Amino acid sequence: MHNSHSMQVSLAGLSLKNPTILASGILGISAESLMRVASAGAGAVTTKSIGIEPREGYANPTVVEVECGFLNALGLPNPGIREFAEEIRKYRSDAPLIVSVYGFSPTEYAEVAAMAESSGANAIELNLSCPHIKGSGSEIGQDPEMIYDVVKNVKGAVEKPVFAKLSPNTSNIARLAEAAEDAGADAITAINTVKAMAIDIDTMKPILSNKIGGLSGVAIKPVAVRCVYEIYEAVRIPIIGCGGIRSWRDAVEFILAGASAVEIGSAIAHGDLTIFQSIAQGINSYIESKGYRKVEEIVGMAHES
């Protein structure tokens, strides 16, 4: 049994029992599923992205497994914040609840975030990075000025911590992180999926109904580690690493690059919810074997080499 005190993480004012977090978009559509993940050992959980109005999303096929991960273009299906607020209110766990929100303008982001906070969210994660939604997501999140405006508006509307989830589909992710920090973001989440597509050679057509989607899973891990490393050198606020984490070794790699916590998503499709506990235990054994007492002591250590 590991020493639980060494695994506790303070993240922008949130207290996590360990540095693992459920990534947005996986099992985050109801209070029951979120509490199931929390009970399985996650240090925090993140909801699916929620907007101001209900949204059906794209027609199927919306998800396809490829040889190196998953390709998806769901189109942000969600019931809208007014209905989802009930799920937020029903959530009961010592694992903080992070509500992912999106909008089509800075004021819309702020409106959804405020409703999420008033319903009981412990933190807000801004989806500034979905690669396949017109007028939101990465279309906003590729512009430092728009990121600044969104974060500024949301920070003016809520008191809980605000995390900016950034896209790797940019030439300079560090500049985007700086814009978020300048506007008052409490942490950066990096990264969302990488813009990608797959074509069925029998039908000779794109497989996804939206044609273009976002790639997640093992293929994007080196991209994500690089992004976390670059962001760590550019900002002082905490970073949440995300992208292809399947084991404690992957998680440690992100922490050494500069992540204070890690989000886990696609790996759940190939395993089960025990992954949170096994990754936390693996991180703990690693830091003990290296002679450290806390996770915080190794955050960003790869920068010292």
Side-chain angles (χ1 to χ4, degrees), residues 11-30:
L11 180 69
L14 300 181
S15 178
L16 277 58
K17 62 189 174 189
N18 68 61
T20 67
I21 302 173
L22 174 69
S24 178
I26 312 288
L27 296 174
I29 201 64
S30 71

Side-chain angles (χ1 to χ4, degrees), residues 125-262:
E125 184 175 85
L126 303 176
N127 182 343
L128 297 163
S129 42
C130 176
H132 50 72
I133 191 81
K134 191 168 180 57
S136 186
S138 67
E139 287 198 8
I140 286 176
Q142 289 176 329
D143 181 347
E145 291 184 9
M146 283 297 292
I147 287 179
Y148 183 91
D149 288 344
V150 169
V151 174
K152 197 75 174 174
N153 269 266
V154 173
K155 284 294 292 181
V158 303
E159 295 182 353
K160 299 295 186 185
V162 174
F163 307 157
K165 186 169 185 176
L166 301 182
S167 169
N169 303 306
T170 174
S171 62
N172 190 347
I173 196 169
R175 177 70 195 96
L176 304 181
E178 288 171 342
E181 182 182 47
D182 290 345
D186 298 282
I188 301 293
T189 304
I191 58 175
N192 205 319
T193 54
V194 176
K195 204 169 187 177
M197 74 180 300
I199 294 172
D200 185 327
I201 63 168
D202 293 321
T203 63
M204 300 180 177
K205 294 178 179 177
I207 294 175
L208 295 175
S209 67
N210 189 57
K211 300 178 182 175
I212 304 291
L215 180 65
S216 64
V218 63
I220 72 169
K221 195 195 83 176
V223 178
V225 171
R226 183 266 299 173
C227 289
V228 169
Y229 190 91
E230 290 181 348
I231 293 168
Y232 185 81
E233 298 205 335
V235 303
R236 294 179 177 275
I237 54 179
I239 304 164
I240 302 165
C242 182
I245 296 169
R246 298 179 298 170
S247 69
W248 68 264
R249 289 180 176 275
D250 296 332
V252 166
E253 195 175 345
F254 274 83
I255 293 167
L256 295 174
S260 295
V262 293

Side-chain angles (χ1 to χ4, degrees), residues 47-64:
T47 70
K48 181 158 181 56
S49 290
I50 306 296
I52 193 74
E53 300 292 345
R55 187 179 168 91
E56 290 188 359
Y58 299 136
N60 285 323
T62 55
V63 182
V64 59

Side-chain angles (χ1 to χ4, degrees), residues 34-73:
L34 289 160
M35 288 191 287
R36 189 155 58 88
V37 176
S39 296
V45 294
T46 311
T47 70
K48 181 158 181 56
S49 290
I50 306 296
I52 193 74
E53 300 292 345
R55 187 179 168 91
E56 290 188 359
Y58 299 136
N60 285 323
T62 55
V63 182
V64 59
E65 185 170 5
V66 293
E67 62 268 28
C68 51
F70 290 96
L71 189 59
N72 86 83

